[in-house]
Amino acid sequence: MSPAVQTVVLDVEGMKCGGCVRAVETTLLDQPGVQRADVNLVSRSAWLDLTAGESDVAGVLKALADRGFPAKERALDDPIGAAAAGQALPGWWQQWRQLMVALLLLLLSVLGHLSEAGQLSLPLIGTLPFHATLATVALLGPGRPILVGGVAAARAGAPSMDSLVGLGVSSAYVASLVALVWPQVGWPCFFNEPVMLLGFVLLGRFLEERARFRTGQALQQLARLQPDTARLLLPDGAIREVRVGALRPGETVQLLAGDRVPVDGVVLEGASAVDVSSLTGEPLPLQAEPGIELSSGSLNLEATLVFKVTRVGAETALARIIRLVEQAQARRAPIQGLADRVAGRFCYGVIGLALATFLFWWLFGAEHWPQVLQASAPGMPHDHAMPHEMHHGGLGRGASTPIGLALQLSIAVLVVACPCALGLATPTVITVATGLAARRGWLFRGGDVIETAAGLDHVVFDKTGTLTLGRPLVTDVHGDEPDRLLQLAASLEQTSRHPLAYALLQEAQGRELQLLECDDVRTVSGQGLEGYVDGASARLRVGKPDWLVAQGVDISPAAQGWLSAAEGSVVAVAMGDRLLGLIQIEDQIRPDVAPALQRLRTHGLTLSVFSGDREAAVRRLGQQLGFAAHDLGWQMLPEQKLQRLEQLRQLERVAMVGDGINDAPALAAADLGIAIGTGTQIAQDSAGLVLLGDRLDNLPEALNLARRTLVKVRQNLFWAFGYNLIVLPVAAGALLPSHGVLLSPPLAALLMALSSITVVMNALALRLP
């Protein structure tokens, strides 16, 4: 027997880029008892599968803290919305304050440059000591968290974005300080570099966080579906407003028109229309009446209802949906693996490139191309400057010595590099996609599921409950007295739970036929029922026509002809050895099946039907829905379905679509299991994609969203890799000798911020139609 596995969710601080994600994931997987770790940079959370008895959460938290990533465990029974609300940026006001201070210092630095250039009459502001003071305040104020975080990450062996920025800022500051105190070295003073770097970095991060925060809004909107209070109905009839968290199973709640359902429950009194579109995407309201189950988050539209609480807290349908979405956002897509591996080593590569850039331009480059120093030397006439040179307030100029130029270029390399874009490229898109899908009632179990759904070749459908409603109905009656025939048959079947019995009872109820008393009712397995019914002169039998013939019942030629022409299942009714009549019962095709299948075919998917039903019924369904004979399977046992699925999987990617109740083995065997119409059974592990509600036309929509999601992921990864491949050589001075292109560190910081914002905004574009 395999050991029990428990799920633990950690909220992790200090993650800034893909390298941080890689470091956290590696640290978690190195801990004893951790079977799986999914880390999400967007929500800054980690989902762990721990082996019970072998793992210690406290030890995991200590290991993370030692690596510079303090974390705390999140209680899985937290109130609905606690986790979603926790995605709001911690210390939002503190970050805003740091940004304002940095921008103020940046403004003063600009005024100092204008004064230095003679455009403003502010002599004190234009002096070097003034710029040195601004840089010192910038580093000790808004820059301090970046420096501290960068040092901590580097000491833990996992340098991060903070490490790169901190190294670049501190290098510029120290070099300028040396040049100020010891002018003989001939280095340029660029105290404004730290000020402008920090200003641009913090502004970029603030805008990035704002955009990143929007990626989780769909989940927050789901969380807000649960009201804060409920109207508790006391035993003496009094009504008391209580917190939703105080409700317990078995208590009674009153729901007024316009109220949200606070918890899961069963209607006891009243009748009303209930809007369930927020959970299932169903456009038509549910008709609630006594005995109907209601899920938390639904909206009561018309009249007052009284219902009994059945599930509260983390057990409600809404809480399970939110939990599934949160976990899905943490599960990585396989396409993300390369980016994470690159991001994990990215900082080391950038530091190495910065060092190589410094040594190259100090020891070789400036001597080999002396014009690069002449072009940026102070006092050089503008008309002698190199073409296309980037001038930004004097930055990038004034490098009159090889070591000064080497310093500027190496700092630009450190700052322009952006592992953030690599780290955010995939999880931002997955977060937006899963949240958007959840609002429509589609639950993807993770980025890996979305990637699989986007690459499907073949979709296999179960018949009953998937392509059909799963609720057979009486469609025709052959007999001299149809009402009498149905009354007798329904009376005998009233104790049975067979689907055909429900069809007979529903038809009798629709015709307002009174059921009769029965006695000595016996079920003949696989054949039908027999017994005595009030008003019948002999023993009554209801079942398969072949069984009645075997019992000595004679079927007339007219009845035999009607039976041969019947299209659905046929139930024969006999009293003694005399046939009273025949009843045709058919399962109804879902009204939205034909257009849904057509859309799937237009997307190039091959479609098949695997069913345990008889051949005639499956063939007829195939003809109605445009299936070729070789795409149909009938009278298939569960093991036969599994065998066929395995054969198909050897050639192509296959999805199995079922009702999620009796198709679990087939759903698990396919590349992607898709459960439709499962209602509250959303937590089954057999399906990778759960489509709530009873509409099959949600399937092509969900698969289309998966394809659009993968396109966005590829666009983001292309941008993230392409950005770094292009700007890093430019920052290192690759175009300086030939084109005079000099990328100053402040401009590098701005480009770095824009790269991260770009991938987040591209992910948000997924929400557009």
Side-chain angles (χ1 to χ4, degrees):
M1 182 175 179
S2 59
V5 176
Q6 67 175 122
T7 299
V8 173
V9 184
L10 304 179
D11 293 313
V12 186
E13 299 177 14
M15 291 194 297
K16 297 292 194 308
C17 61
C20 302
V21 172
R22 187 71 174 176
V24 170
E25 191 175 77
T26 303
T27 302
L28 292 173
L29 291 175
D30 287 342
Q31 305 309 305
V34 177
Q35 297 185 2
R36 175 174 179 159
D38 294 312
V39 183
N40 190 332
L41 177 61
V42 178
S43 62
R44 295 186 175 90
S45 62
W47 288 69
L48 309 179
D49 286 343
L50 304 179
T51 305
E54 296 183 16
S55 55
D56 177 19
V57 177
V60 172
L61 296 178
K62 184 178 183 305
L64 285 177
D66 292 342
R67 290 294 298 269
F69 302 103
K72 61 180 180 179
E73 184 178 1
R74 182 193 303 170
L76 291 180
D77 57 352
D78 279 348
I80 292 179
Q87 287 185 5
L89 298 177
W92 182 274
W93 168 245
Q94 180 183 2
Q95 190 177 34
W96 174 258
R97 186 174 55 193
Q98 288 177 347
L99 176 61
M100 289 299 100
V101 173
L103 293 182
L104 176 61
L105 295 174
L106 181 58
L107 176 62
L108 291 174
S109 179
V110 172
L111 292 177
H113 277 292
L114 293 176
S115 176
E116 187 179 7
Q119 298 180 13
L120 284 178
S121 180
L122 300 171
L124 179 62
I125 288 183
T127 62
L128 270 178
F130 174 79
H131 287 293
T133 303
L134 282 183
T136 304
V137 173
L139 262 65
L140 297 180
R144 187 173 181 276
I146 293 178
L147 296 176
V148 172
V151 171
R155 289 179 59 187
S160 65
M161 190 66 227
D162 282 351
S163 303
L164 296 180
V165 174
L167 187 57
V169 170
S170 57
S171 299
Y173 178 78
V174 171
S176 301
L177 198 61
V178 170
L180 177 65
V181 176
W182 189 17
Q184 290 83 359
V185 297
W187 296 359
C189 277
F190 34 84
F191 282 113
N192 49 353
E193 299 258 0
V195 178
M196 300 192 75
L197 287 178
L198 290 173
F200 284 136
V201 167
L202 291 175
L203 177 61
R205 286 191 178 180
F206 185 82
L207 295 176
E208 174 196 327
E209 292 290 1
R210 287 282 295 175
R212 188 190 302 188
F213 180 69
R214 290 178 58 196
T215 65
Q217 284 184 340
L219 195 60
Q220 297 166 46
Q221 290 170 359
L222 276 178
R224 286 196 291 267
L225 290 179
Q226 186 188 56
D228 296 326
T229 61
R231 296 170 60 86
L232 178 63
L233 194 60
L234 301 176
D236 60 0
I239 296 176
R240 177 183 301 169
E241 288 273 347
V242 299
R243 291 182 302 102
V244 170
L247 293 176
R248 294 293 178 264
E251 293 181 331
T252 305
V253 173
Q254 184 188 62
L255 195 67
L256 302 179
D259 287 350
R260 289 269 177 198
V261 180
V263 291
D264 292 359
V266 178
V267 177
L268 298 178
E269 300 176 16
S272 179
V274 177
D275 180 5
V276 296
S277 60
S278 299
L279 298 178
T280 68
E282 291 286 349
L284 297 178
L286 171 71
Q287 294 302 315
E289 55 189 26
I292 295 295
E293 289 191 7
L294 297 180
S295 297
S296 57
S298 305
L299 177 64
N300 184 24
L301 297 176
E302 294 178 341
T304 300
L305 295 174
V306 175
F307 72 99
K308 182 176 70 174
V309 177
T310 56
R311 288 181 292 272
V312 299
E315 298 301 318
T316 62
L318 178 60
R320 292 202 304 273
I321 289 175
I322 292 175
R323 196 70 64 196
L324 276 176
V325 175
E326 287 181 327
Q327 191 166 13
Q329 291 174 350
R331 279 176 56 172
R332 293 186 308 166
I335 196 173
Q336 187 180 347
L338 174 61
D340 283 351
R341 288 193 297 271
V342 171
R345 302 172 176 86
F346 187 84
C347 293
Y348 293 107
V350 171
I351 293 173
L353 177 61
L355 181 60
T357 299
F358 177 82
L359 294 175
F360 175 83
W361 287 105
W362 178 31
L363 301 176
F364 175 78
E367 180 179 352
H368 188 71
W369 295 290
Q371 69 271 22
V372 299
L373 292 178
Q374 296 171 5
S376 58
M380 190 71 180
H382 182 68
D383 55 357
H384 290 84
M386 295 182 66
H388 311 297
E389 181 184 357
M390 295 184 178
H391 302 290
H392 289 274
L395 298 178
R397 305 170 70 194
S400 57
T401 63
I403 194 169
L405 180 65
L407 275 172
Q408 291 195 43
L409 293 177
S410 59
I411 291 171
V413 168
L414 289 171
V415 178
V416 79
C418 190
C420 299
L422 285 172
L424 291 170
T426 300
T428 48
V429 182
I430 298 300
T431 298
V432 173
T434 50
L436 186 63
R439 290 178 57 190
R440 299 178 182 179
W442 317 331
L443 301 181
F444 289 98
R445 289 192 174 274
D448 51 341
V449 173
I450 292 178
E451 186 171 342
T452 301
L456 289 176
D457 305 304
H458 198 137
V459 180
V460 178
F461 293 89
D462 175 55
K463 172 180 172 287
T464 304
T466 303
L467 296 177
T468 64
L469 295 173
R471 298 187 294 270
L473 300 175
V474 173
T475 56
D476 199 4
V477 179
H478 174 77
D480 296 333
E481 300 180 78
D483 284 355
R484 175 64 174 169
L485 181 66
L486 284 167
Q487 183 184 38
L488 292 173
S491 298
L492 189 65
E493 294 275 3
Q494 62 185 306
T495 59
S496 172
R497 301 184 64 85
H498 194 279
L500 298 183
Y502 280 116
L504 293 170
L505 290 168
Q506 185 175 353
E507 184 68 17
Q509 183 180 8
R511 299 191 182 203
E512 298 182 354
L513 303 176
Q514 184 71 36
L515 298 183
L516 306 173
E517 294 291 332
C518 301
D519 186 34
D520 192 23
V521 178
R522 184 174 68 91
T523 299
V524 180
S525 179
Q527 302 296 334
L529 278 79
E530 59 181 2
Y532 292 95
V533 178
D534 286 356
S537 58
R539 191 175 189 85
L540 195 71
R541 292 187 179 90
V542 179
K544 293 182 177 179
D546 294 344
W547 174 55
L548 267 64
V549 170
Q551 299 300 313
V553 176
D554 181 48
I555 298 182
S556 66
Q560 188 65 50
W562 187 91
L563 179 61
S564 300
E567 295 184 344
S569 301
V570 175
V571 172
V573 182
M575 186 184 300
D577 57 0
R578 181 170 65 91
L579 181 69
L580 298 181
L582 302 170
I583 303 172
Q584 179 178 280
I585 300 176
E586 289 185 278
D587 195 358
Q588 304 299 301
I589 297 178
R590 292 179 184 267
D592 57 338
V593 162
L597 297 183
Q598 181 58 35
R599 288 192 60 188
L600 291 174
R601 290 188 177 105
T602 58
H603 290 151
L605 293 170
T606 304
L607 308 181
S608 300
V609 176
F610 291 175
S611 175
D613 207 346
R614 58 194 181 90
E615 180 180 354
V618 176
R619 282 187 176 276
R620 184 171 62 255
L621 178 85
Q623 291 174 355
Q624 292 174 317
L625 298 178
F627 286 93
H630 59 80
D631 291 328
L632 301 174
W634 51 80
Q635 294 178 322
M636 299 180 70
L637 298 174
E639 54 268 26
Q640 292 175 315
K641 289 185 180 181
L642 294 178
Q643 184 178 4
R644 284 286 300 275
L645 282 171
E646 289 297 336
Q647 292 172 353
L648 290 175
R649 286 187 62 196
Q650 295 176 7
L651 304 174
E652 49 195 351
R653 276 192 181 180
V654 183
M656 176 70 194
V657 186
D659 59 15
I661 298 173
N662 56 0
D663 299 311
L667 293 175
D671 292 300
L672 176 63
I674 305 174
I676 291 184
T678 56
T680 59
Q681 300 189 24
I682 60 173
Q684 41 186 340
D685 295 329
S686 53
L689 169 59
V690 179
L691 304 179
L692 303 179
D694 291 322
R695 298 181 59 85
L696 193 67
D697 56 2
N698 284 332
L699 178 57
E701 294 285 350
L703 296 183
N704 183 53
L705 176 63
R707 284 189 288 270
R708 290 175 55 212
T709 299
L710 201 60
V711 168
K712 288 292 182 186
V713 168
R714 287 173 176 152
Q715 289 174 352
N716 275 0
L717 289 175
F718 178 81
W719 165 255
F721 279 107
Y723 163 82
N724 285 292
L725 288 175
I726 292 173
V727 299
L728 280 173
V730 174
L735 299 180
L736 183 56
S738 58
H739 295 80
V741 175
L742 183 65
L743 190 63
S744 67
L747 180 59
L750 184 60
L751 290 176
M752 180 271 294
L754 289 176
S755 68
S756 297
I757 296 172
T758 299
V759 297
V760 178
M761 297 307 295
N762 189 47
L764 288 170
L766 191 64
R767 298 159 68 176
L768 301 176

